[in-house]
Amino acid sequence: MSMKQVDENKQNDKKKKSFLSLLFANLFGSKKELSIFEEEQVQSPWRTVINTFKSNKVAMTGFIVFLLIFSIVMIAPLVHPIDLSFSETSQKDIAPGFDMMALPDAILGKVQDIGVGPTFSIGASTDGKVYIWGKTRISSTIDVKNYPIDPATKRPVDMGNVVKVAAGFDHALALNDEGEVFAWGNNRQKQASIPTELKFTKDIKDIYGGYQSSIVLTGDGRSIYFGNTMNNDYDEFHPYQGQLDKIAVASDGLIGLTRDGEVVYLGSQINAYSRIPENMGKVVDISASAVTMAAVNEDGKVFVWGNVTKSKGEGNVPETDSKIIKIIGGRYHYNAITENGDIYSWGSNNYKQSTIPQKVKEADIVKVYSGYYQNYGIASDGKVYTWGLKGYLFGTDDLGRDIFTRLLNGGRMSMTIGAVAVVISTTIGIIVGAVSGYFGGKIDNVLQRISEVISSLPFLPFAMILSSLIGNSMTSTQRIVLIMVILGLLSWTGLQRLVRAQVLSVREQEYVIAAKSLGIKEKNIVFRHILPNVISVILVSATLSFATSMLTEASLSFLGFGVQAPHPTWGNMLYGANNSIVIQNYWWRWVYASIVLGISVICINLVGDGLRDAVDPRSQER
Amino acid sequence: MIKYTFKRILYMLFVFSIMTVILFTLYGMIPGDPARAEVEGLRQTLKPDEYEHAYQLARQRMGLDLPKHIRYINYVKGLVKGELGQSIVYKMPVSKVIITPLKTTIFINIFAVVIGLALTIPLGIRTAVRKNSNFDKAVQVLTIIGHSIPVFIFSLLFIYAFSVKLGWFPVSGMKTANFKGTDWEAFLDKVWHLALPLMVMTIGSLAGLTRYIRAAMADALSMDYIKTARAKGLKEKVVIYSHAWRNALLPIVTLLIGWLMSIFYGSLIIERMFNLNGLGKLLIESLYNQDYDVVMAIQLLYIVIALLGNLLSDLSYGIVDPRVRVNK
């Protein structure tokens, strides 16, 4: 006996088993050692199959992983429903991670000003330094993190002592204590090109960033606008130049607040923004969301106008205990601060941006910065509280949809389609195989020829052609059903052949002859007496064809002939991924869907293989 | 044997004609008016009555007013003459549109099939002979993974790794634009462009066939005649390649023939991923553009190939298996 064997024996003697090993043994099954005098218990064939399957560790692992994925994608969409019509340009192609509101340590406790962009934020500290955090990459070449470059020295400009910052849709602005304005980021619409007249104006009161636009408010009450003039309605020669005290910027228009407390529209068109409510009295603060404007008057009454929608609920101003003195707009929500220092929030809440956490309610918040879906609350002790959209677990796609949600819902769709297709193909396969095998003769011949032709047709091209010919004028829901039916109708031939062979082999056995001589109907002989004996073959085949159906659905959807957007499946989530820009820059748009699809199908195939081994009588030879 | 072949060919023709009827009705149901599509461009230049006249002429020329069965007969007559219709997108006969993509597809697939066969057959045999060895287990796991991951995911991974990150191969396309050089250089350029698609295709097809060959071979090796052969003292090589392999071929033949036939359609997804101008890409684009004459021609081609494949596998059964040497 070698040392190793002695060691092993010692280990075997240990009767104490850890919880983990017991769990493992129960999950995967462990062979009990029988002594020579004991007799093995007689098992039913199904018991044996189950036991053999359980003792196959690989198959069992696959089974458990698959069950996990399956239950997650079946249950999670109930908790996490998907809004099929959702799309949000400000949130497109965002990398995974929850760092959108992760302020750098250096600015904590000394926040001077914060500007909030769609996915990034810019902050100025009390000592005049600028910090940028969040998802700062706008495109493959533009990153807001890169400070403006001085053309002379080719090095980042020294901005001096920055006192105010602002973030636009894809650019950022900063103002230093000498009245100098800096802008950087996307400059396609010249929103980051400082106009020359600003170089002579040193008295600057505030800066604002909008959608492809920047606005500077001077100390003498004038507004200076640069950026996209097509999308934003702005009249450079509006009659209120020289009277403005504050400006609020929506995504396509802007309003101003004059020194007399009157709200004025700064564009030339007549639109929802220009229909400013009358009799507001003396207005003390104004703000804007993406599509609405809001104003609060001396009495603390809030007015909201513009393109107010019920679903977003920007107009549902809550009752407050004390007078509202300040309002701050996000993308589709508003925050308000009252005299008592309480914060109220209303409007769209899809990212929990208008749900104020308990911690914030308890803290003594003196200043709130909001924009898009993020909120920053600065407490009197300098502590920064954040709430709203922190980021996305798996990133977002080209329409700003959360990939994680789509994966969950897409998984349910993929699995459902696979399952229904298998049910269809299995039913057809069983019926055709059984009939063909039992009756033989001409029926058999005809059925076999049909099956031969169908099985030799190239699968994918035919499924494609069928789905695009028949599904041409269908709604997307009808199309889903169509895909299931096509997959089912084209993939029954393999099972049919198996069932037929099995039926042929049991047809002449005694119990069938006995049944026949008892005068049992032929239909019942086939489906009640013969089929139960071939069920194991069917089970294996159904499992494996579940995997194939899921794969085919994925391929079809990937090519654009399967389930179509906005319905997600794991296949069509990869639809837009076959160009090198997406492959390289937006890897999260294809990696996660590929991984879950791959793992699920691998697991199903492992289970199918394990089942086949378990069912195969030869594998039980000893 | 000849009589049997003849019978099978007759049967093939029968099935083919049924298929054409089905397809003809199916395509006839698609809403759309080819005559209207043709004269639509003239609407601005002609007076309403002239336009209507042109439209009626076009209908007459296309035979759209004839009853369905006569149109079908005309269609079949055209088929016999090799007229497959007119492509709306390319504005030329379908047979001309199809020919270049078909060549490309065959070119790509022949490579893939040859490489695939050269790898899978030895691999399948080796794993079956050394069943349950570590090598076998590793191959089993790899083939399950290969079998379970769709080709387009492999393509994405390979493009990411080899084209984007390493920059060894071009991302897509068949040849360098404006390539100048000798024929040999042009060929090398083509191979360089096709290396990545071929790699993906081979990997995608390896798994299934290897598993199948292994299963068939393992079955054959467990038979009693193998024991007999070994007992006779035959060399292991002879036992494996002569006794077992010939018997294992039987179930494999259908699959092999199917695989050979896939040289006409096997690269559909690859062509789309890598933007190769093949039949699959043409099919997808024609479906997008609703160029149904092209689609129908490609579909007919697929049906012919499928039927030929059936015939081939039936005949090859006779060659491989003496028991089925048919003389019906």
Side-chain angles (χ1 to χ4, degrees):
Chain A
M1 207 181 250
S2 71
M3 280 303 290
K4 207 178 166 194
Q5 278 169 321
V6 172
D7 278 349
E8 272 173 15
N9 280 351
K10 267 184 196 161
Q11 276 176 359
N12 283 345
D13 287 339
K14 271 187 194 167
K15 284 290 171 200
K16 273 186 203 161
K17 278 183 177 169
S18 72
F19 169 73
L20 258 180
S21 74
L22 273 175
L23 182 78
F24 195 78
N26 281 333
L27 275 180
F28 294 106
S30 59
K31 284 243 166 76
K32 227 190 279 169
E33 291 291 323
L34 293 176
S35 83
I36 208 161
F37 302 107
E38 279 174 304
E39 200 168 306
E40 202 177 348
Q41 215 176 358
V42 177
Q43 289 175 321
S44 77
W46 276 110
R47 260 255 74 88
T48 325
V49 167
I50 291 169
N51 283 344
T52 327
F53 184 79
K54 268 184 167 176
S55 63
N56 183 344
K57 289 196 177 91
V58 179
M60 240 358 235
T61 318
F63 184 62
I64 289 168
V65 173
F66 172 73
L67 266 191
L68 251 168
I69 296 178
F70 183 79
S71 42
I72 288 175
V73 300
M74 285 296 161
I75 296 166
L78 303 177
V79 193
H80 219 71
I82 189 168
D83 174 10
L84 287 178
S85 59
F86 181 85
S87 84
E88 170 60 318
T89 40
S90 73
Q91 302 295 318
K92 69 176 193 178
D93 291 331
I94 296 169
F98 288 109
D99 55 353
M100 275 191 195
M101 289 193 287
L103 287 87
D105 290 339
I107 196 178
L108 288 177
K110 41 181 184 175
V111 174
Q112 162 82 22
D113 192 18
I114 294 179
V116 188
T119 57
F120 61 90
S121 295
I122 170 169
S125 65
T126 41
D127 46 10
K129 285 215 179 69
V130 173
Y131 300 90
I132 303 170
W133 61 92
K135 304 288 179 212
T136 54
R137 210 173 69 158
I138 304 296
S139 72
S140 47
T141 46
I142 302 167
D143 194 329
V144 188
K145 226 178 183 104
N146 301 328
Y147 295 137
I149 304 285
D150 188 346
T153 57
K154 302 271 179 232
R155 298 213 348 240
V157 174
D158 177 22
M159 291 195 270
N161 193 9
V162 171
V163 289
K164 267 188 184 301
V165 286
F169 185 78
D170 47 13
H171 68 293
L173 298 159
L175 169 71
N176 69 11
D177 56 355
E178 287 160 14
E180 223 177 330
V181 178
F182 302 91
W184 64 99
N186 193 350
N187 196 21
R188 248 181 96 91
Q189 302 286 349
K190 302 273 174 249
Q191 65 263 47
S193 307
I194 312 291
T196 31
E197 65 170 306
L198 264 183
K199 298 216 165 83
F200 308 108
T201 320
K202 292 297 159 213
D203 176 23
I204 289 171
K205 189 172 175 198
D206 210 345
I207 48 177
Y208 303 92
Y211 177 73
Q212 298 180 339
S213 62
S214 311
I215 300 97
V216 173
L217 178 64
T218 62
D220 53 4
R222 287 185 307 120
S223 63
I224 297 164
Y225 177 98
F226 48 105
N228 187 343
T229 47
M230 303 299 290
N231 179 65
N232 293 291
D233 180 30
Y234 172 75
D235 181 8
E236 202 183 329
F237 305 106
H238 61 79
Y240 312 103
Q241 289 287 25
Q243 306 173 31
L244 295 175
D245 190 38
K246 193 176 169 165
I247 292 175
V249 192
S251 66
D252 50 357
L254 45 155
I255 55 169
L257 177 66
T258 63
R259 293 199 183 104
D260 314 332
E262 190 195 351
V263 178
V264 293
Y265 182 59
L266 303 183
S268 52
Q269 294 171 7
I270 293 183
N271 56 22
Y273 303 132
S274 66
R275 263 177 245 123
I276 297 163
E278 285 163 18
N279 306 325
M280 284 199 289
K282 188 171 159 51
V283 171
V284 291
D285 195 17
I286 56 171
S287 186
S289 74
V291 290
T292 63
M293 303 288 185
V296 57
N297 67 10
E298 279 179 320
D299 311 325
K301 189 165 165 33
V302 176
F303 300 86
V304 182
W305 72 98
N307 305 304
V308 184
T309 50
K310 263 219 174 84
S311 57
K312 308 264 194 234
E314 292 106 326
N316 309 334
V317 186
E319 294 284 314
T320 55
D321 293 339
S322 59
K323 219 166 79 174
I324 292 178
I325 50 167
K326 204 166 164 42
I327 43 175
I328 308 105
R331 181 92 167 151
Y332 297 112
H333 74 288
Y334 284 103
N335 290 317
I337 304 180
T338 64
E339 272 178 336
N340 300 357
D342 290 336
I343 302 174
Y344 290 88
S345 190
W346 68 94
S348 166
N349 195 24
N350 55 333
Y351 296 115
K352 298 255 176 298
Q353 70 269 40
S354 59
T355 309
I356 296 164
Q358 198 56 40
K359 253 196 324 204
V360 178
K361 279 183 187 157
E362 283 161 9
D364 177 27
I365 303 289
V366 288
K367 204 155 173 47
V368 172
Y369 298 98
S370 296
Y372 293 89
Y373 301 107
Q374 294 91 316
N375 305 286
Y376 298 88
I378 316 292
S380 51
D381 56 356
K383 214 174 157 197
V384 181
Y385 294 91
T386 62
W387 67 98
L389 175 68
K390 288 192 168 59
Y392 301 89
L393 183 59
F394 287 165
T396 61
D397 65 6
D398 53 340
L399 289 176
R401 300 174 292 198
D402 181 13
I403 287 182
F404 181 64
T405 319
R406 284 180 74 71
L407 271 184
L408 291 179
N409 287 273
R412 183 160 77 160
M413 185 69 84
S414 291
M415 299 244 179
T416 316
I417 291 177
V420 175
V422 167
V423 169
I424 296 175
S425 75
T426 310
T427 319
I428 302 178
I430 290 174
I431 294 176
V432 173
V435 167
S436 181
Y438 185 77
F439 294 103
K442 274 205 180 115
I443 301 178
D444 180 31
N445 212 350
V446 171
L447 289 176
Q448 289 314 303
R449 291 290 92 79
I450 295 175
S451 143
E452 227 167 55
V453 172
I454 291 181
S455 72
S456 58
L457 291 177
F459 192 105
L460 201 59
F462 262 72
M464 257 168 58
I465 293 171
L466 283 182
S467 102
S468 92
L469 281 192
I470 305 172
N472 226 343
S473 48
M474 282 184 167
T475 64
S476 54
T477 330
Q478 282 171 325
R479 239 190 130 98
I480 295 170
V481 179
L482 176 76
I483 298 301
M484 299 175 182
V485 174
I486 289 178
L487 290 183
L489 282 185
L490 286 179
S491 57
W492 51 271
T493 53
L495 178 68
Q496 176 274 129
R497 213 174 299 149
L498 277 175
V499 173
R500 176 174 170 268
Q502 292 286 320
V503 171
L504 276 179
S505 74
V506 296
R507 189 172 65 173
E508 302 302 332
Q509 283 185 6
E510 285 88 347
Y511 70 92
V512 178
I513 299 170
K516 257 188 204 167
S517 52
L518 280 172
I520 293 173
K521 276 187 204 152
E522 284 192 319
K523 194 181 86 186
N524 285 346
I525 296 182
V526 175
F527 292 105
R528 292 255 176 89
H529 294 253
I530 296 184
L531 264 192
N533 287 291
V534 299
I535 202 100
S536 54
V537 181
I538 295 169
L539 197 68
V540 173
S541 157
T543 316
L544 292 175
S545 89
F546 180 43
T548 325
S549 292
M550 272 181 67
L551 277 189
T552 321
E553 183 277 319
S555 306
L556 275 179
S557 301
F558 171 73
L559 292 172
F561 295 98
V563 178
Q564 287 178 333
H567 288 280
T569 74
W570 288 342
N572 77 8
M573 287 178 68
L574 298 168
Y575 177 62
N578 62 340
N579 66 64
S580 54
I581 296 167
V582 175
I583 293 175
Q584 182 173 16
N585 294 325
Y586 309 125
W587 54 268
W588 55 92
R589 275 173 56 186
W590 57 274
V591 166
Y592 296 115
S594 305
I595 290 176
V596 280
L597 177 66
I599 290 182
S600 308
V601 180
I602 290 173
C603 287
I604 301 170
N605 274 332
L606 285 177
V607 172
D609 266 18
L611 267 183
R612 181 164 49 202
D613 287 347
V615 162
D616 187 359
R618 267 177 299 179
S619 68
Q620 277 143 46
E621 281 169 7
R622 48 191 102 179
Chain B
M1 190 73 184
I2 293 166
K3 201 177 157 196
Y4 176 73
T5 316
F6 188 68
K7 238 172 114 178
R8 292 292 310 196
I9 290 175
L10 269 186
Y11 156 74
M12 256 178 66
L13 284 176
F14 171 69
V15 173
F16 183 73
S17 49
I18 289 183
M19 286 302 224
T20 52
V21 175
I22 294 174
L23 287 186
F24 192 78
T25 10
L26 194 66
Y27 282 81
M29 287 187 325
I30 302 166
D33 187 346
R36 184 72 74 190
E38 190 177 290
V39 294
E40 190 57 43
L42 303 172
R43 192 189 268 277
Q44 301 302 321
T45 54
L46 295 180
K47 284 177 193 148
D49 53 328
E50 281 176 347
Y51 170 75
E52 191 56 31
H53 183 66
Y55 171 64
Q56 291 303 338
L57 274 182
R59 276 190 79 86
Q60 222 166 32
R61 187 158 36 78
M62 293 180 179
L64 293 177
D65 294 325
L66 299 171
K68 272 234 163 95
H69 59 276
I70 299 195
R71 280 173 61 196
Y72 174 70
I73 291 171
N74 286 341
Y75 176 73
V76 173
K77 275 184 193 159
L79 269 191
V80 174
K81 282 187 244 162
E83 288 165 11
L84 292 161
Q86 188 82 12
S87 160
I88 312 172
V89 176
Y90 297 92
K91 307 277 182 217
M92 49 178 174
V94 171
S95 42
K96 275 192 189 147
V97 175
I98 283 187
I99 206 82
T100 329
L102 184 60
K103 276 184 193 157
T104 313
T105 299
I106 294 178
F107 180 82
I108 305 168
N109 279 288
I110 281 185
F111 268 101
V113 166
V114 169
I115 299 173
L117 280 184
L119 287 175
T120 47
I121 292 180
L123 203 62
I125 295 178
R126 185 72 57 84
T127 46
V129 171
R130 294 164 61 186
K131 204 175 165 186
N132 291 332
S133 66
N134 283 338
F135 172 70
D136 176 40
K137 277 179 188 154
V139 172
Q140 286 296 299
V141 171
L142 285 182
T143 49
I144 279 211
I145 294 175
H147 188 60
S148 307
I149 293 179
V151 185
F152 55 86
I153 292 182
F154 273 124
S155 312
L156 287 171
L157 282 175
F158 273 57
I159 293 177
Y160 185 72
F162 294 115
S163 296
V164 174
K165 284 282 151 193
L166 296 172
W168 290 354
F169 300 107
V171 174
S172 66
M174 283 283 283
K175 57 181 180 198
T176 315
N178 301 325
F179 184 79
K180 285 192 186 78
T182 59
D183 282 356
W184 173 242
E185 281 165 346
F187 179 76
L188 283 184
D189 181 62
K190 204 169 180 180
V191 168
W192 180 59
H193 274 82
L194 290 181
L196 208 53
L198 279 178
M199 249 153 67
V200 178
M201 275 183 77
T202 320
I203 286 179
S205 59
L206 273 183
L209 204 59
T210 308
R211 290 175 72 76
Y212 209 82
I213 291 176
R214 177 184 173 275
M217 194 65 188
D219 267 1
L221 279 171
S222 69
M223 292 295 168
D224 286 342
Y225 52 73
I226 297 296
K227 280 181 198 149
T228 318
R230 286 203 175 117
K232 276 197 296 189
L234 287 180
K235 276 183 193 155
E236 192 61 20
K237 254 196 183 144
V238 180
V239 174
I240 291 168
Y241 290 102
S242 176
H243 290 233
W245 174 238
R246 273 209 72 174
N247 285 292
L249 253 184
L250 205 58
I252 298 174
V253 150
T254 335
L255 201 76
L256 280 184
I257 302 268
W259 217 44
L260 282 180
M261 284 300 159
S262 77
I263 57 174
F264 295 98
Y265 54 81
S267 52
L268 197 136
I269 293 177
I270 300 285
E271 282 167 22
R272 171 134 176 86
M273 286 300 307
F274 292 92
N275 205 15
L276 308 174
N277 182 26
L279 204 59
K281 191 170 160 249
L282 179 70
L283 175 65
I284 293 174
E285 275 169 6
S286 304
L287 280 172
Y288 281 148
N289 299 329
Q290 313 204 329
D291 195 352
Y292 288 120
D293 276 356
V294 179
V295 176
M296 185 152 172
I298 296 177
Q299 201 172 10
L300 281 179
L301 180 75
Y302 285 157
I303 291 174
V304 172
I305 290 163
L307 291 172
L308 275 180
N310 258 344
L311 177 71
L312 263 183
S313 64
D314 276 356
L315 294 181
S316 56
Y317 267 138
I319 298 166
V320 177
D321 188 354
R323 283 171 301 180
V324 238
R325 272 191 197 144
V326 262
N327 252 332
K328 282 183 244 173

